[in-house]
Amino acid sequence: MSANRSTQSGRSRRLRKMFVDRGIDLILLVFSLLMLLPLVFLVSNGFKTPQEMLAWPPTIIPADPTIDNFAAVLQDTPLLRWMFNSILFAVLSTLAILATSSIAGYILAKFRYSSLNVIFALVLATAIVPFEVYMIPLYFQAQSMGILNSIWGLLLGYLVMSFGIFLIRQNVIHSIPDELLEAARIDGAGELWIFFRIVLPLLRGALGALGVLAFFQAWTAFAWPMIVATNREAYTIEVGLALFQTGFTVDLGRLSAASALVLIPSISLFVILRRNFVQGVASTGLKE
């Protein structure tokens, strides 16, 4: 009798757990579909005619698909030039942030100087200052250097990321033991050899996560590229997309087509570095 009750109780718990798991899966599925729906409509609208785009109810699959919007965007605007500017800006900014964050994070984590604590506190303090606060003084600095309407002017505001320094410092503290570095120094290794051959390989996951964050930060930047690039050929893709909207009208077809094309590089990068991104962010969060 007791054995039967125990068996029924175990079966009931498994059944309850199965219902809970299926319920969570269903909620996550609905949430994912709601998140993806705007992107699906964005791509779909790029293939619709103006009449179908304004029809109600909206359709996900175009009834009469056309590539006129894509052809018009590529013909009437320097979209590929804007994408090239954005890709170059994002790649160079990402490399600069990876370099500055890895060097500064390693020094702040493993070198014992009292002044480094003050520097780290200042780095954290800059994280709470909005970029718009010092954007105008930075503009005048770029103007005095004669680098407006150039890739160097865009990079001036995106060379260092305070969050990146913090992220790398925390990963160095928790994933690289002092004994490993001391053993390398005892064997005669120099600081540069230790940094490139020991520290950087062990930070691969964190650097991958930081690389994705830095790339999207530069890729989606709008305010700084808008004021530092006044020449149409020097626009980034975010500034170029704003041209599709005037004071009273929005060209939805061309804007959807251009936005769909812009998604390709960012989605490709995320797919390539997805594993490093998830591992880097997860490991940092678990060790805090």
Side-chain angles (χ1 to χ4, degrees), residues 6 53 70-71 81 85 128 141 167 169 187 207 210 217 235 243 268 276 284-285:
S6 177
M53 196 175 301
F70 293 92
R81 176 69 185 181
N85 292 339
I128 63 174
Q141 184 178 352
L167 179 72
R169 177 184 178 273
D187 289 340
L207 290 175
L210 179 60
Q217 176 187 254
Y235 284 172
L243 297 181
S268 302
N276 287 336
T284 302

Side-chain angles (χ1 to χ4, degrees), residues 27 33 35 51 63 151 166 177 199 203 234 237 263 276 284:
I27 292 174
L33 291 177
M35 295 291 290
Q51 294 78 13
I151 190 65
F166 171 77
V199 175
L203 293 175
I237 191 64
L263 287 176
N276 287 336
T284 302

Side-chain angles (χ1 to χ4, degrees), residues 18-85:
M18 185 184 70
F19 279 122
V20 171
D21 291 343
R22 295 294 178 271
I24 293 175
D25 291 342
L26 182 61
I27 292 174
L28 292 177
L29 178 63
V30 172
F31 184 74
S32 301
L33 291 177
L34 290 176
M35 295 291 290
L36 288 174
L37 201 56
L39 290 179
V40 173
F41 271 110
L42 174 69
V43 176
S44 174
N45 287 340
F47 292 95
K48 291 180 182 177
T49 60
Q51 294 78 13
E52 186 178 0
M53 196 175 301
L54 297 176
W56 186 264
T59 56
I60 294 180
I61 300 177
D64 186 17
T66 176
I67 60 171
D68 289 347
N69 293 322
F70 293 92
V73 165
L74 294 175
Q75 183 177 357
D76 298 339
T77 65
L79 185 71
L80 296 181
R81 176 69 185 181
W82 296 341
M83 290 182 68
F84 173 77
N85 292 339

Side-chain angles (χ1 to χ4, degrees), residues 86-91 93-94 97 161 210-221 265-267 269:
S86 285
I87 291 175
L88 184 62
F89 169 44
V91 169
S93 173
T94 300
I97 287 175
M161 182 192 287
L210 179 60
V212 174
L213 292 175
F215 184 89
F216 281 106
Q217 176 187 254
W219 182 259
T220 59
S266 53
I267 291 179
L269 179 71

